[in-house]
Amino acid sequence: MTIFNQYASVNELRKLAQKPFDLTNPQSFNPDRVNQFFVDNEHFRLLFATEQVDDNVLDHLIKLSEEANVFDKMQAMQSGEVLNFIEGFESENRSVLHTAMRDFFEDQNQSEKAKAATKEALVENQKLEAFIKDNEEHEKFIHLVVVGIGGSELGAKALTVAMQHLNKPNRTLHFVSNVDPDNAASVAQSIDLSKTLVASISKSGGTLETLTNEALMRHHFEKKGLDPKGHFIVVTGKGSPLDDPERYLERFYMWDFIGGRYSVTSMVGGIPLAFCLGYDQYKEILRGANYMDKHALNTRDPKKNLPLMSALLGIWNRTFLNHHTVAIIPYSQALGRFAAHLQQLDMESNGKRIDKKGNAVDFDTGPIIWGEPGTNAQHSFFQMLHQGTTPVPIEFISFKESQYGDDLEVQGTLSHEKLLSNMFAQSMALANGHKNDNPNKNFPGNRPSRVLLGKKLDPFTLGALLAYYEHKVAFQGFIWNINSFDQEGVQLGKVLANQMIDLFAKKRGKESKDYKDVPVGDAYLKHLESLK
């Protein structure tokens, strides 16, 4: 039996899930409920009256977190204890210390591993600060091209898009991630390469897409008569194949205790964010993330711990109410790429079917994560959310104030007021539904959601929002007793892709010494060749 199924609260929650709270009951869903079901800290408020929970469910969810010792595990994670493992089986066996990458402020973690990691991170940040300020003084580079994929691209892109309103003048940022050659070609042809800095990012130094795209970008520089070494920097692990001073203007480091999807507050995100915003604004992102790291350790009242409460609500929806997906809908255009980052953060972390003892689980773990910004999403897929056959829990995100403060009163209200009105209306409509004798106009309701509200999306708040989701995911993994910090599921496809690549090489007369016969793959290539 898995550890999760041994918790007494699990059986009680399964019983309660047979008849969850009815959000369509007007006597139950009222202003008193809205004013009761929320948690907050000084920067965010999480409203969850529109979730199918009552006090009894919440009490048992809190008991579940206590049985799972989530705060001990969160403390252990932030202190550098080895949490990335599968007991009795070959695994990475690593610490998980992305929090140490931003632990430069008050109340620093005092464990020896955490302090050592923070010291290393501080060295890289000081190097970055000097590099960025030197470029700002001399304006050598005005374009930055980030070459990386997965965790080396998604988080950094999400955060740089979110802070575009603070970009320094004459700064453009581009990402080359897809091994599709059109990606690199379109970027190279759109900018002045003589004013361009390229940052290649690969912890292992062996990521196929990144190595290929770096070679393509170097080729574009050489065609222009430019020496790539004067334009290329790298973020990689010490001693990796890319850790080569002969090829790069500057080298920055990351470590094996930083997973790609948790690397935004390392040099992976630091370089593009500091380049676009300036180092001081990037430091505010770190400060916000560090604030939420400390908040996640708040054990005084679990019901006031925002990422824990969000994690528990998510477990209620996924494991007990059997909802398979979660839509992330930020009512903020600046967070247009945020759901894409959360897809990797959540699904690569908790998309697991064994626990940390190697046992197959017999309950649902991580959900499918997807989403788009509102109000655009309302005119796209909200039809299915309201009247489709599959209820989809939603996490709304919004802010009291806009970023630019440039608004206009139209028909009696500001645009930002219309934005917030739409978000609250969607949450209420999904919960309440609407009865109508015409079945085409009938809305079943009882579709759960919650709302995370902040005052304004600035660098500090963005860092805190990032860490809020990182810790929500970690808390869920702790409770399910799965390993949220490896990603073996991406490896098989890579192995087969390399075998397919060898087939292409063979047909070009450049057979690899590692060539293996792949009959099914050869059949696919024959179909490709038959296209006219």
Side-chain angles (χ1 to χ4, degrees):
M1 181 184 292
T2 60
I3 289 176
F4 179 80
N5 282 327
Q6 296 176 32
Y7 298 142
S9 53
V10 168
N11 286 332
E12 294 303 316
L13 286 164
R14 284 177 174 150
K15 293 175 186 175
L16 292 169
Q18 299 303 308
K19 192 175 181 181
F21 183 85
D22 185 1
L23 293 167
T24 66
N25 185 339
Q27 278 71 47
S28 301
F29 189 81
N30 53 44
D32 288 340
R33 178 176 170 84
V34 174
N35 291 328
Q36 177 186 357
F37 285 81
F38 75 91
V39 294
D40 63 0
N41 60 25
E42 58 191 302
H43 295 283
F44 287 100
R45 178 166 294 186
L46 180 65
L47 308 175
F48 58 94
T50 46
E51 293 279 3
Q52 288 186 281
V53 294
D54 56 20
D55 287 328
N56 198 17
V57 170
L58 290 176
D59 287 342
H60 281 91
L61 287 170
I62 293 297
K63 287 178 184 176
L64 174 60
S65 72
E66 292 168 349
E67 288 184 277
N69 297 314
V70 295
F71 290 119
D72 289 345
K73 292 172 183 175
M74 178 59 71
Q75 183 66 61
M77 185 191 82
Q78 295 196 30
S79 297
E81 294 186 27
V82 175
L83 295 187
N84 179 356
F85 69 89
I86 301 295
E87 189 176 319
F89 296 89
E90 181 184 352
S91 55
E92 292 181 335
N93 288 307
R94 293 172 179 169
S95 300
V96 181
L97 274 171
H98 50 280
T99 54
M101 301 296 97
R102 60 246 190 168
D103 197 14
F104 307 138
F105 309 99
E106 61 277 355
D107 299 324
Q108 292 183 351
N109 191 300
Q110 293 303 303
S111 81
E112 291 303 315
K113 282 188 176 181
K115 286 196 295 185
T118 297
K119 184 178 179 180
E120 290 187 287
L122 187 58
V123 170
E124 297 306 303
N125 273 271
Q126 290 169 340
K127 191 194 311 182
L128 174 62
E129 181 178 16
F131 184 87
I132 292 297
K133 291 189 174 179
D134 178 72
N135 186 61
E136 289 174 353
E137 181 179 350
H138 297 100
E139 282 290 323
K140 183 176 181 181
F141 304 114
I142 61 173
H143 310 295
L144 173 64
V145 177
V146 175
V147 177
I149 196 166
S152 298
E153 183 247 6
L154 288 165
K157 180 180 281 189
L159 268 63
T160 51
V161 168
M163 290 291 104
Q164 277 181 338
H165 69 297
L166 296 177
N167 274 8
K168 287 184 169 291
N170 301 319
R171 290 288 184 276
T172 70
L173 176 64
H174 307 267
F175 288 87
V176 175
S177 55
N178 200 324
V179 77
D180 181 345
D182 288 344
N183 190 185
S186 65
V187 170
Q189 293 176 23
S190 69
I191 53 180
D192 179 358
L193 294 182
S194 69
K195 290 284 188 178
T196 296
L197 178 70
V198 179
S200 292
I201 302 177
S202 171
K203 181 169 67 175
S204 68
T207 308
L208 174 67
E209 294 91 340
T210 301
L211 295 178
T212 301
N213 281 327
E214 182 185 316
L216 271 171
M217 290 304 300
R218 285 180 178 272
H219 177 64
H220 286 294
F221 276 84
E222 289 164 352
K223 285 197 301 183
K224 294 286 186 179
L226 299 168
D227 180 7
K229 183 182 177 181
H231 295 263
F232 279 65
I233 63 175
V234 68
V235 180
T236 192
K238 284 186 178 180
S240 89
L242 294 182
D243 186 13
D244 183 355
E246 298 302 314
R247 289 173 58 81
Y248 298 100
L249 178 66
E250 185 62 89
R251 289 166 295 155
F252 296 90
Y253 293 115
M254 56 190 302
W255 300 273
D256 63 5
F257 50 72
I258 308 294
R261 58 195 176 276
Y262 294 96
S263 67
V264 190
T265 51
S266 73
M267 290 300 98
V268 171
I271 287 170
L273 286 162
F275 181 86
C276 292
L277 308 176
Y279 182 81
D280 292 341
Q281 296 282 28
Y282 167 61
K283 192 173 180 181
E284 280 302 295
I285 294 175
L286 299 183
R287 190 186 301 275
N290 180 252
Y291 165 84
M292 190 60 74
D293 296 340
K294 301 299 186 286
H295 176 78
L297 293 168
N298 174 22
T299 63
R300 293 186 298 276
D301 184 353
K303 287 186 178 180
K304 293 185 177 180
N305 188 306
L306 269 73
L308 176 60
M309 289 303 298
S310 187
L312 292 172
L313 292 167
I315 286 175
W316 173 246
N317 286 331
R318 177 64 171 136
T319 306
F320 297 102
L321 298 186
N322 300 313
H323 296 308
H324 296 289
T325 82
V326 172
I328 309 292
I329 311 294
Y331 275 67
S332 167
Q333 189 62 29
L335 293 177
R337 290 296 300 167
F338 201 62
H341 168 59
L342 297 183
Q343 279 182 333
Q344 186 198 23
L345 173 66
D346 201 312
M347 295 171 71
E348 196 167 80
S349 294
N350 288 343
K352 308 292 171 62
R353 61 187 300 275
I354 63 167
D355 69 7
K356 294 187 75 169
K357 290 182 176 291
N359 300 314
V361 301
D362 57 356
F363 52 87
D364 286 330
T365 59
I368 298 166
I369 303 293
W370 59 287
E372 286 288 334
T375 59
N376 303 54
Q378 294 173 205
H379 298 266
S380 175
F381 49 77
F382 266 54
Q383 165 63 42
M384 189 276 279
L385 299 186
H386 283 286
Q387 291 183 305
T389 57
T390 304
V392 177
I394 299 177
E395 296 183 25
F396 293 106
I397 307 170
S398 197
F399 302 90
K400 182 180 178 181
E401 300 175 10
S402 63
Q403 288 183 322
Y404 289 93
D406 185 3
D407 207 341
L408 180 68
E409 183 178 314
V410 177
Q411 297 180 355
T413 55
L414 299 172
S415 293
H416 197 72
E417 292 169 338
K418 294 180 177 71
L419 179 74
L420 293 171
S421 296
N422 272 274
M423 181 190 67
F424 290 128
Q426 292 296 327
S427 182
M428 289 186 290
L430 288 160
N432 296 155
H434 179 71
K435 303 303 178 186
N436 195 300
D437 292 337
N438 179 345
N440 191 46
K441 296 181 182 294
N442 188 65
F443 292 75
N446 260 334
R447 307 210 161 189
S449 67
R450 56 189 178 272
V451 175
L452 184 68
L453 283 175
K455 183 179 180 183
K456 185 177 181 179
L457 185 57
D458 57 22
F460 181 97
T461 305
L462 179 63
L465 180 66
L466 171 76
Y468 163 86
Y469 274 101
E470 289 176 347
H471 297 317
K472 181 198 107 167
V473 167
F475 276 134
Q476 289 180 333
F478 296 156
I479 293 169
W480 285 320
N481 194 42
I482 59 177
N483 184 4
S484 301
F485 308 111
D486 68 358
Q487 54 283 328
E488 291 295 331
V490 305
Q491 301 305 322
L492 178 59
K494 287 183 178 181
V495 171
L496 293 176
N498 283 328
Q499 293 175 1
M500 287 294 299
I501 288 168
D502 284 346
L503 289 180
F504 276 101
K506 179 185 178 184
K507 292 184 181 297
R508 296 172 65 85
K510 298 179 180 180
E511 184 172 326
S512 165
K513 61 179 173 37
D514 298 321
Y515 173 77
K516 294 181 180 179
D517 188 34
V518 188
V520 174
D522 198 51
Y524 277 120
L525 286 195
K526 288 177 180 176
H527 280 288
L528 182 66
E529 291 170 352
S530 70
L531 292 174
K532 302 297 183 183

